[in-house]
Structure formats: structure tokens, C-alpha cells
Amino acid sequence: MNSSTMPQQLQTGLQFDAECQHWIAAHPDTVQAVLHHCGLRVRPAAESIPKALVGGPAGAMFGRWLRMSDGAAHQAGKPALQAALQRWSYEHQIEWRALVQSTAARRLIHGWADWMWVTPASSMAQMLGIAAEQADALTPLLRALAKGFAPAADEAAAQAAHQAAQALQALIAAAAPSSLLRAIQAEGWDNASDVQANLAGLIWQSFEATAALLGNGLVALARDAELAGRMRERDADWAALLKRVCRRDAPIRHTRRFAPQAIEVAGTLLPAGACIIVRLSGAGTSTFGHGPHACPGQDLALLIAKSALQQALHSGMPWPAVDDLRYEPAANLHAPIFVHHKVPT
């Protein structure tokens, strides 16, 4: 997309990008309208699963993820998962915070990049009953899944993703029943295959989106010594800080919605098959989504970020260098690359 076709961020309504043949929602009101529209879908009608993964374990797992599906299965499972996560995260806050901070401290000795990438997914995996040493070693599997989910994935990437999906789900199946699993079952969601796949989905979402939130929160503190001092000295408003981070440095830059048939959205009649790119940057906590496909793990992600950042503030470790910061070369993920350290001022 070039500058001549890029719509202004504050322009209301859907804007059509003739070059990319996509519609774009950028204004906060339009973003909300699209995310809450029950007639839109999260996947193209003809490609519910990434083409490269069809017929294999990674494709089967992806197809069961509630955030990537619509219809009866989504309607049955999403309320149960969301209710269980909300209640569980509230009842286990102390336990969850201690586990995250223990994991963050263990990973920080390997550097800020390891701290950012490993802490969220490892913490989530441990809460699902996976042993710490196995949870800390999940990064290669999760990176293989990321490459397999990419639109340009080749056969080698797809095969690696299939193997990773099998290994991840095997770890979950072998783990002792966790309090989170029992909370989900208590909500009446008893489809074992769907539950197992979505527990793997929680770990996957923690890997990229929550890691990027954690990294961008660290950057905010490293750039503002006064802010870091306030947060260190008292239990300041972490919710406000993380909301600001989501607004200024959204971990996930955009999401997509698809029109299964001709449909009116935000005052525009879209043809069947139309794709909307929903820009989340600048829309505050919309980085977690809203409406039918809002992220059910939002509370957990924010709790991970808060707990790990609190650990970092009191660790005594030099801040990462952020003067000439680079970011991961991904179109959608906004995650900093930490290389060198500097002594905080």
C-alpha cells in the first residue's frame, strides 16, 4: 500500500484500497462497527484453514480454534471459555502472578529477548500443568507454527507446523488436569478435542501477541525514567499504562474480517467475499478485539504483562537499549528486537 492509497486514520467509514483490493477500517468508530458486526467472518468462506495446512494436524488444530472459526462450534465454546477464563484469572491472581514473576526472573538471566518471548507462553503452559523445563522449551515449536500459519508457507514449513502441533497437543494431553481445565469443564464445555486444541491456542496467543505487549511495555518504561520510578515506588495504575501501550504501540497492528455474502457494514454495501483490514493501532485496547471474536484471554494477557514488568522493575537489570530500536520484520506483529543493554538513568 502506498501513501497515495492509504486512507487517513481518522477518516470515518470504510475506505477502499484499489491497489490491494481491500477495504480498510481505521477510525475507532468504524473499527468498533466492524468488530461488532455479527455478519462478518474471521476467515474467507473458501479458506477456513490456511491452504498449506489442510489435511494435517496443524490444520485440524487451527480449525478448532474459537478465534478462527464461526458457526455452531464457536457459539457453543466461546461463552464457556470466556466465562472460565474470567473466573479463573480472578480466583487465581496471586498464584498466577507468582508463577509469571518466577518464570520472568528465570528467563531474564538469558537477556531481555528471552525474557520477552519465553515468559508469556511458558507461564501459560505451566498453568496448564506442563512442567517448567518443558514449558520454557516451547519457543521452537511455536515459531514453527507461526511459519506454518503464514500465507506464504511452503511444504517444509507446513510439515514443521504439523509436527509442532502434534508435540504441543501431546504435552497438554499428558499434563495433569489443571485448575483452568476444570474451570472450563465446569462451564459445560465437554468436547475434549475442541478444549485441548483451544488450550494449545492459549499458549500460541501468549507467544506472539502477549510477548509483543510485554516488550512494548518494557520499551515504554526504558524510555521514561520518571515513569519507571513512579511504577517502581508504588503500585501505580498498571491498567492505564498498558492501555497507553496498546494505543501507541499495539502488539497486533490489524486483524481481518470477511463478508460471506453481500452485506452492509458501517454504511457501505460490500460484495460477497470482500476483505476488511481492521487497523487496531490507535484504537486502545481494541488490540484484543471486541465483539464476537474478542480475545477471551485478555485478562490473562494483561496480568502476564503487569506481573512480568513488575519483576523487571525490581530486578536490578540494566534496561535494554531503545534509542535505535528495531522491530520484528512482520507485517502484523509489532514486537521490539532487544540486542544491547544500557544502564538506566
Side-chain angles (χ1 to χ4, degrees):
M1 183 186 303
N2 58 41
S3 59
S4 64
T5 60
M6 184 178 295
Q8 295 297 315
Q9 184 173 359
L10 296 180
Q11 191 170 352
T12 59
L14 293 174
Q15 311 301 317
F16 186 66
D17 187 318
E19 180 180 341
C20 297
Q21 293 293 297
H22 290 159
W23 295 86
I24 298 175
H27 189 279
D29 291 343
T30 309
V31 167
Q32 291 293 328
V34 172
L35 293 178
H36 281 91
H37 200 296
C38 294
L40 295 172
R41 298 292 180 260
V42 291
R43 295 289 302 173
E47 191 181 333
S48 59
I49 297 171
K51 290 180 180 179
L53 302 181
V54 173
M61 181 179 71
F62 185 97
R64 292 180 182 274
W65 283 356
L66 295 176
R67 289 207 75 191
M68 296 297 174
S69 62
D70 295 283
H74 175 267
Q75 294 170 5
K78 180 67 177 286
L81 180 60
Q82 197 157 26
L85 286 172
Q86 288 176 346
R87 189 179 71 253
W88 180 88
S89 60
Y90 175 77
E91 294 175 350
H92 294 266
Q93 282 188 60
I94 296 175
E95 175 189 1
W96 181 240
R97 176 182 174 182
L99 186 147
V100 172
Q101 293 191 336
S102 173
T103 303
R106 185 171 67 247
R107 301 317 308 178
L108 186 50
I109 63 174
H110 301 285
W112 288 111
D114 190 281
W115 173 87
M116 181 187 85
W117 283 108
V118 178
T119 297
S122 176
S123 298
M124 190 70 250
Q126 290 173 73
M127 273 297 180
L128 295 178
I130 297 174
E133 59 271 18
Q134 294 175 311
D136 283 0
L138 286 176
T139 300
L141 298 182
L142 298 172
R143 291 198 185 281
L145 286 175
K147 292 179 180 178
F149 293 152
D154 57 17
E155 184 176 351
Q159 289 304 315
H162 292 318
Q163 294 173 6
Q166 287 181 307
L168 179 58
Q169 292 185 97
L171 285 173
I172 294 172
S178 65
S179 57
L180 178 54
L181 175 60
R182 290 193 292 270
I184 293 172
Q185 292 171 334
E187 292 294 331
W189 195 24
D190 55 3
N191 186 313
S193 296
D194 284 352
V195 171
Q196 184 186 87
N198 279 277
L199 293 179
L202 289 176
I203 297 175
W204 157 252
Q205 288 172 277
S206 297
F207 174 64
E208 285 200 330
T210 310
L213 173 61
L214 188 53
N216 292 332
L218 180 64
V219 170
L221 294 172
R223 282 179 171 162
D224 190 335
E226 182 179 350
L227 171 64
R230 291 199 308 271
M231 304 299 285
R232 186 185 293 111
E233 292 169 5
R234 58 186 176 86
D235 188 14
D237 191 349
W238 283 94
L241 172 63
L242 293 173
K243 183 176 182 179
R244 188 180 74 176
V245 170
C246 288
R247 184 174 64 251
R248 297 182 178 179
D249 290 298
I252 302 299
R253 292 294 192 163
H254 65 260
T255 188
R256 294 171 186 260
R257 292 293 185 268
F258 299 88
Q261 65 270 330
I263 193 171
E264 184 175 340
V265 180
T268 299
L269 181 61
L270 301 180
C275 172
I276 305 173
I277 297 177
V278 187
R279 290 186 177 168
L280 303 178
S281 300
T285 52
S286 287
T287 191
F288 294 102
H290 288 288
H293 286 279
C295 176
Q298 174 176 338
D299 291 344
L300 290 181
L302 293 172
L303 189 53
I304 289 173
K306 172 183 174 180
S307 301
L309 289 169
Q310 286 176 326
Q311 181 274 329
L313 278 171
H314 297 283
S315 68
M317 286 288 288
W319 291 127
V322 294
D323 292 336
D324 298 308
L325 197 62
R326 294 183 296 116
Y327 288 82
E328 292 289 332
N332 195 25
L333 184 70
H334 187 61
I337 298 174
F338 297 123
V339 180
H340 303 297
H341 291 173
K342 71 175 182 180
V343 178
T345 55

